[in-house]
């Protein structure tokens, strides 16, 4: 158990995570060190620490707002949809000029099979971002989206964090 905790602490120290997150993780590891090895609470703490250590702290993609490239990718992947592609290019142009992540969010709406996911994938490729598809069909509880409270034994991260964890384990 002590070697496992030392390994966690070494990982935390080597990562570029915010100071308050590292402090919280170290506090959780101190709690883990004080409890018997096979307690259910220990498993909850381990899964919590594993999820936070697996996140890509401080690793960001560099956005590429080359509108000509974006136009070529959208035209290559999607026939027609002139107004939709124009609106996407307007959005990218504003993002390129403001150089800010704040502002409106693109919301693609429509029935199944019209190409919303395909458009989102093309936009991600155009600006050199990684793309993860997160399906929210069949979700009955908000806890599935944002994550369960850690008070539950089987608590899990939400779908968004889970998508990020799956993507980083593939790369």
């Amino acid at each position: 158990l002590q070697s496992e905790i030392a390994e966690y602490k070494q990982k935390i120290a080597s990562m570029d995570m915010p100071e308050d997150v590292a402090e919280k993780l170290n506090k959780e590891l101190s709690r883990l060190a004080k409890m018997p090895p096979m307690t259910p609470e220990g498993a909850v703490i381990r899964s919590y620490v594993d999820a936070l250590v697996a996140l890509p702290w401080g690793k960001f993609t560099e956005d590429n707002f080359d509108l000509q490239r974006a136009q070529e990718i959208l035209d290559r992947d999607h026939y027609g949809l002139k107004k939709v592609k124009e609106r996407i290019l307007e959005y990218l142009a504003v993002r390129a000029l403001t150089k800010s992540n704040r502002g409106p969010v693109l919301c693609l709406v429509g029935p199944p099979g019209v190409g919303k996911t395909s458009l989102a994938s093309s936009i991600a490729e155009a600006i050199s971002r990684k793309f993860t598809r997160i399906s929210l069909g069949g979700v009955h509880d908000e806890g599935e989206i944002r994550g369960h409270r850690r008070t539950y034994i089987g608590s899990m991260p939400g779908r968004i964090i889970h998508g990020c964890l799956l993507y980083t384990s593939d790369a």
Side-chain angles (χ1 to χ4, degrees), residues 69-133:
R69 179 174 180 260
Q71 176 77 51
E72 289 169 6
I73 290 171
L74 287 170
D75 287 339
R76 177 195 74 201
D77 294 347
H78 303 281
Y79 179 78
L81 302 173
K82 185 178 179 198
K83 287 184 179 180
V84 174
K85 291 190 284 191
E86 280 179 11
R87 178 63 190 108
I88 290 169
L89 289 172
E90 286 173 11
Y91 174 80
L92 294 177
V94 169
R95 289 283 310 273
L97 288 173
T98 61
K99 295 186 180 9
S100 171
N101 285 333
R102 299 202 179 267
V105 176
L106 279 178
C107 181
L108 305 173
V109 180
V114 295
K116 299 178 296 289
T117 303
S118 177
L119 271 168
S121 176
S122 295
I123 294 167
E125 181 185 346
I127 63 173
S128 302
R129 281 231 182 146
K130 295 177 181 176
F131 177 76
T132 301
R133 181 182 174 274

Side-chain angles (χ1 to χ4, degrees), residues 130-166:
K130 295 177 181 176
F131 177 76
T132 301
R133 181 182 174 274
I134 302 169
S135 176
L136 298 178
V139 172
H140 294 70
D141 180 22
E142 68 166 300
E144 290 183 51
I145 298 171
R146 53 181 206 122
H148 298 99
R149 294 174 51 104
R150 283 193 322 127
T151 54
Y152 301 121
I153 296 296
S155 65
M156 297 285 293
R159 295 268 181 108
I160 295 170
I161 296 295
H162 187 69
C164 180
L165 292 173
L166 286 176

Side-chain angles (χ1 to χ4, degrees), residues 19-106:
E19 196 64 37
D20 57 332
V21 176
E23 187 178 310
K24 173 71 172 160
L25 284 175
N26 284 320
K27 188 175 177 182
E28 292 294 325
L29 290 173
S30 325
R31 283 182 56 212
L32 182 63
K34 294 174 189 169
M35 52 179 73
M38 300 310 284
T39 60
E41 177 67 17
V44 171
I45 291 174
R46 277 188 191 86
S47 66
Y48 178 72
V49 172
D50 282 335
L52 286 175
V53 167
L55 289 173
W57 295 100
K59 296 177 183 173
F60 303 98
T61 55
E62 187 70 33
D63 288 341
N64 176 11
F65 290 113
D66 180 0
L67 297 180
Q68 183 65 37
R69 179 174 180 260
Q71 176 77 51
E72 289 169 6
I73 290 171
L74 287 170
D75 287 339
R76 177 195 74 201
D77 294 347
H78 303 281
Y79 179 78
L81 302 173
K82 185 178 179 198
K83 287 184 179 180
V84 174
K85 291 190 284 191
E86 280 179 11
R87 178 63 190 108
I88 290 169
L89 289 172
E90 286 173 11
Y91 174 80
L92 294 177
V94 169
R95 289 283 310 273
L97 288 173
T98 61
K99 295 186 180 9
S100 171
N101 285 333
R102 299 202 179 267
V105 176
L106 279 178

